[in-house]
Amino acid sequence: MIHITRRERFNAAHRLFSDELTDEQNMEVFGKCSNPNWHGHNYELFVTVKGEIDSETGFLVNLKTLGNIIKSKVIVKLDHRNINLEVDFMDGKFASTENLAVGIWNELEKSVIEIGAELHCVKVVESENNYVEYYGS
Amino acid sequence: MIHITRRERFNAAHRLFSDELTDEQNMEVFGKCSNPNWHGHNYELFVTVKGEIDSETGFLVNLKTLGNIIKSKVIVKLDHRNINLEVDFMDGKFASTENLAVGIWNELEKSVIEIGAELHCVKVVESENNYVEYYGS
Amino acid sequence: MIHITRRERFNAAHRLFSDELTDEQNMEVFGKCSNPNWHGHNYELFVTVKGEIDSETGFLVNLKTLGNIIKSKVIVKLDHRNINLEVDFMDGKFASTENLAVGIWNELEKSVIEIGAELHCVKVVESENNYVEYYGS
Amino acid sequence: MIHITRRERFNAAHRLFSDELTDEQNMEVFGKCSNPNWHGHNYELFVTVKGEIDSETGFLVNLKTLGNIIKSKVIVKLDHRNINLEVDFMDGKFASTENLAVGIWNELEKSVIEIGAELHCVKVVESENNYVEYYGS
Amino acid sequence: MIHITRRERFNAAHRLFSDELTDEQNMEVFGKCSNPNWHGHNYELFVTVKGEIDSETGFLVNLKTLGNIIKSKVIVKLDHRNINLEVDFMDGKFASTENLAVGIWNELEKSVIEIGAELHCVKVVESENNYVEYYGS
Amino acid sequence: MIHITRRERFNAAHRLFSDELTDEQNMEVFGKCSNPNWHGHNYELFVTVKGEIDSETGFLVNLKTLGNIIKSKVIVKLDHRNINLEVDFMDGKFASTENLAVGIWNELEKSVIEIGAELHCVKVVESENNYVEYYGS
C-alpha cells in the first residue's frame, strides 16, 4: 500500500454568511469573511490516493491521469469562480473550507476508483495559516 | 544605507474588465480573470524602505511602527474587500496587480518619510507564479 | 468527521542540557544545542482539531476562536521567551521539541473540547529540517 | 508515543521506461518522463520515526544521529546519482517515486530500530506538485 | 515604470565537466556535479520584464502572453531534457546555472520587446540554496 | 556580469536593548524583543556576489568555495550562538538585523574578492515577515 499526492491550485471568491441572519448578525458570526462584496483566496488542493504499486509501470496511478481527473472534475468548476454562486456541488451549502473539502471528495471519489486507486484524503489550504483535511467519513 | 522589508498579507476579491468592452470582449482580453462574479487571491505585500541605521537603536525604522503604518494605510482597506468596489485608492482604475502596486505606493510614501526612511519598493505577489514590483517612478 | 489545522508562530530561546551532566558531557550529548548562552528558533505550531461540521455555520470550529485559544494558552507564554527559564508548562523538563509538543498538547486539550472539537495533533516545526508531531498518547 | 521527522535532500537523474516497450510505447505510457537522455529532480526526503521520549535526554532519538543514518544509508547513494543506473537498492526496478519510497524504507528500517525508534513514514517529494508516502506495508 | 515577474518551472538533467579534463580532474574541479551518469534538478525560472502600464488594460503585459512566450521559447526546450545533450542554445557551453541564465536571456529578449516590454532579469533557481540572476550585460 | 546567490542558515539567540535605558524604557522602545532572558530565530542568510563568468568552468565562482567561505567566516561564529554575547564582529553593537547584515558584509567582503568576485548584497531574513538587505554603502 502506497500513498501518492497531487497538488492542484485554484483562485476563487467566496463569502461566509447565512441568509437566515441579518448583515449585522453575519458580521458577528463570520466577521470580515461575511463581506457582501466578497473576498477571495489562492486555494491549494492536495489530493491523496492509495493502493498497490502496479508492477508493470512502477506507478500506483499515472499522475498525469490523476491530475487530469482533478482538473476536469474540480478545478474547472472552481478556478476563477465564485464559490457561493457558480459551483454546482456547493449549491445550498455554506462556502466554508470544510464544506469545500467534503464537496471535492464527493466529486473525485468515483473517478479515483475507476483508475484503480482509492481516495484517501482531500486537503484544502485556504491560507498559509489554515487548512482542512477530509478522509471520507 | 540599509534596506529593510516588511511583509503583510491580505485576501481580496477582484475582476479584470473594462466597462467599455462587452462581456465577450472582456473575456477575450482578460480571460477567466474577467468573470463578472469575481474571483480572489491571497495577496502578499512586501514593502521595502531604505535609509541610515539609527545609532541609538540599531534600527533603520522600528519594524512594528512600519507594520502598523502598512496595516492602517493599506491592509485595512484591502483585506477581505472587493478591490473593484470598495478600495478608495483604486477607484476608477483597473484592478490589476500593476495598479495595485502603484496605488499602495501612493498610500505609503508620505508616512514612510515621516518615520525617517524612504520608500524603496512595493512588491505585490498575486500568486506563486506572478508578482509586480514598483520603485516609485 | 473533518480535520482543521491552524498555524501560529513563536520565536524563542532555549538550550538542551542536563544539570546532572558537566558542560563537557552536555556538549557530547547535545552538541552545540547545549551552548550555555542559549540559541533560538522561529517555531511554527500547527494545531489540528477534529469533529463534525456544524450545520448552522459550515464550520467545525470558528478558526478565529481556535486561533485565540492557541494564542492565549500557548503563544503568549512562548513568544519571545526563554523556554528553559520562563515557560510554566516546561518547568523541570528538557526544552526539547518533543517535550514542547507534549506540553502544548496539555495546555490546549481542555479548551478545544470546550469549543466542541477534539484535539488531534500538535505539530512543532523547529527548522525546515526538523519537526515533531504528538497525537496525545 | 511521539513522531519526529527529519528532512534530507538529494538531486538525481532518472528516466521512467520499460525495456519491454519500444521508445514510442514508452512515450505513450510515461510521456516526457521517458526521455532516453534522462531528466532530474531536487528530491526532498522526509523520514518520520516514532517511539517514546527518553526521560534522560528529552529526545525520542538524537536528530543528528538520525540525520547521519539517513545520509549514510540513503543520501550518499542517491545524491548527484542516476537512479536507474547507479543505485543498488533500485536495481531492476522502475525508477518511480513510489518504488523509491519503498526502497528507502527498506534501507532505513533496521537502522532506525537500532537507535531505539520505529520507522513510521518515508515521504519522497519529487516536485512541488507530487509526493509519495510509504508506511511500510 | 513597473516590473512584473512570471515564474515557470522545468525539470532537467545535466552534468558539469570539461572535455579537456580527465574524469579525475573533472571530479576535482566540479565534484559530484561531474558524475558522467548525470544528475538533475527542479529548476525555477523567474523572468522579470519592465515598462509602462497600458492605460487601456491596466497591464504592463498580459501575463498569459508572457507565460506562453517563456514556455514556447524556453521551457519546451528544457523541460524533461538533458541540458548538455539536447538544448540548442546551450550547445558547446558548460551546463552551469550561470550559462543557463544567459542562454535563457538570449532566447527571450527579442520576444519580450515584441510585446511592448523590456527584459529586466532572468533568475534561475537551481536549489533552495543557489540561484543566479542575469540582467543582460 | 552575472549575480549568484548562496543561502546558508544559522540559529541564534539575541536581545534588543540599550544599556543606557532601564528595563522599562527598553520594553517601551524594543517591546518583547528586549526580554532579558533572550529569544531567538532561525536566520536565513543570502549572500549575492557578482562578476564575469569564467570561460574555463562556466562558473562565476565555485559555489562550494563560496559556501565554505560563508560557513568559516560567518556561520561558525553565529550558529547556535548568542549574538549579544558571543559574536566578535557584533561586539558593542545593537544585535539588530540591520547591524547583523552590515557585520556579515564586513566579514565576507575581502574573501569574496580573493575568489575573483565582488560582494553585491547581504540579505538577512529574521522571520517570514522581516528581512534586511545591505549593498555595502
Side-chain angles (χ1 to χ4, degrees), chain F residues 35-104:
Chain F
N35 179 5
N37 287 315
W38 319 99
H39 68 282
H41 298 286
N42 302 338
Y43 290 92
E44 284 185 291
L45 170 60
F46 293 83
V47 175
T48 303
V49 304
K50 61 187 174 190
E52 301 298 328
I53 299 176
D54 181 334
S55 63
E56 293 194 20
T57 60
F59 286 165
L60 164 53
V61 296
N62 189 314
L63 268 179
K64 200 173 165 181
T65 309
L66 178 59
N68 286 341
I69 287 172
I70 302 171
K71 279 185 206 110
S72 65
K73 296 286 179 185
V74 174
I75 300 298
V76 77
K77 294 183 175 179
L78 287 164
D79 191 34
H80 286 77
R81 294 292 176 185
N82 185 308
I83 298 174
N84 298 71
L85 302 180
E86 298 180 295
V87 180
D88 59 359
F89 65 80
M90 293 298 288
D91 206 38
K93 296 183 193 161
F94 287 93
S96 68
T97 317
E98 288 92 325
N99 282 336
L100 201 48
V102 174
I104 291 169

Side-chain angles (χ1 to χ4, degrees), chain C residues 6-10 43-46 67 70-71 75:
Chain C
R6 175 77 181 176
R7 185 186 75 132
E8 299 287 345
R9 298 176 298 122
F10 58 94
Y43 290 93
E44 285 186 291
L45 170 60
F46 293 83
I70 301 170
K71 280 185 206 112
I75 300 299

Side-chain angles (χ1 to χ4, degrees), chain E residues 8-133:
Chain E
E8 298 288 345
R9 299 176 297 121
F10 58 96
N11 306 317
H14 79 146
R15 178 195 175 194
L16 296 174
F17 78 108
S18 166
D19 50 20
E20 298 179 4
L21 301 180
T22 64
D23 273 10
E24 288 70 28
Q25 289 172 317
N26 272 310
M27 183 56 75
E28 207 176 314
V29 177
F30 298 104
K32 56 190 178 182
C33 298
S34 70
N35 179 5
N37 287 315
W38 320 98
H39 67 284
H41 298 286
N42 303 338
Y43 290 93
E44 285 185 291
L45 169 60
F46 294 82
V47 175
T48 303
V49 304
K50 61 187 173 190
E52 302 297 327
I53 299 177
D54 180 334
S55 62
E56 293 193 22
T57 60
F59 287 165
L60 165 53
V61 295
N62 189 315
L63 267 179
K64 200 172 166 182
T65 309
L66 178 59
N68 286 341
I69 287 172
I70 302 171
K71 280 185 206 111
S72 66
K73 296 284 178 186
V74 174
I75 300 298
V76 77
K77 293 183 176 179
L78 287 164
D79 190 35
H80 286 75
R81 294 290 175 187
N82 185 308
I83 298 174
N84 297 70
L85 302 180
E86 298 181 295
V87 180
D88 59 0
F89 64 80
M90 294 298 288
D91 206 38
K93 298 183 193 160
F94 288 94
S96 67
T97 317
E98 289 92 325
N99 282 337
L100 201 49
V102 175
I104 291 169
W105 176 284
N106 292 333
E107 293 297 298
L108 292 177
E109 191 173 19
K110 204 182 298 179
S111 300
V112 170
I113 289 170
E114 286 168 9
I115 57 168
E118 192 183 339
L119 191 53
H120 175 69
C121 182
V122 166
K123 178 179 175 179
V124 180
V125 181
E126 193 189 68
S127 79
E128 65 186 41
N129 293 329
N130 304 331
Y131 64 81
V132 163
E133 289 160 306

Side-chain angles (χ1 to χ4, degrees), chain D:
Chain D
M1 171 82 76
I2 200 102
H3 293 69
I4 193 158
T5 299
R6 176 76 179 176
R7 184 186 75 132
E8 299 288 345
R9 297 176 299 121
F10 58 96
N11 306 318
H14 79 145
R15 178 196 175 194
L16 296 175
F17 78 108
S18 166
D19 51 19
E20 298 178 5
L21 302 179
T22 64
D23 273 12
E24 288 70 26
Q25 289 172 317
N26 273 310
M27 183 56 75
E28 207 176 313
V29 177
F30 298 105
K32 56 190 177 182
C33 298
S34 70
N35 178 5
N37 288 315
W38 320 98
H39 67 284
H41 299 286
N42 303 338
Y43 290 92
E44 285 186 291
L45 169 60
F46 293 83
V47 175
T48 303
V49 304
K50 61 187 173 189
E52 302 297 328
I53 300 176
D54 180 333
S55 62
E56 292 193 21
T57 60
F59 287 165
L60 164 54
V61 296
N62 189 316
L63 267 179
K64 201 172 166 181
T65 309
L66 178 58
N68 286 341
I69 287 171
I70 302 171
K71 279 186 206 109
S72 65
K73 295 285 178 186
V74 175
I75 300 299
V76 78
K77 294 183 175 178
L78 288 164
D79 190 36
H80 286 76
R81 293 291 175 185
N82 185 308
I83 297 173
N84 297 71
L85 302 180
E86 298 181 295
V87 180
D88 59 1
F89 64 81
M90 293 299 288
D91 207 36
K93 298 183 192 160
F94 287 94
S96 67
T97 318
E98 288 92 325
N99 281 337
L100 201 48
V102 174
I104 291 170
W105 176 284
N106 292 335
E107 292 299 297
L108 292 176
E109 191 174 18
K110 204 182 296 181
S111 299
V112 170
I113 290 170
E114 287 168 8
I115 58 168
E118 192 183 340
L119 191 53
H120 175 70
C121 183
V122 166
K123 177 179 176 179
V124 180
V125 181
E126 194 189 67
S127 79
E128 66 186 39
N129 293 329
N130 304 330
Y131 64 81
V132 163
E133 290 160 304
Y134 183 58
Y135 294 88
S137 64

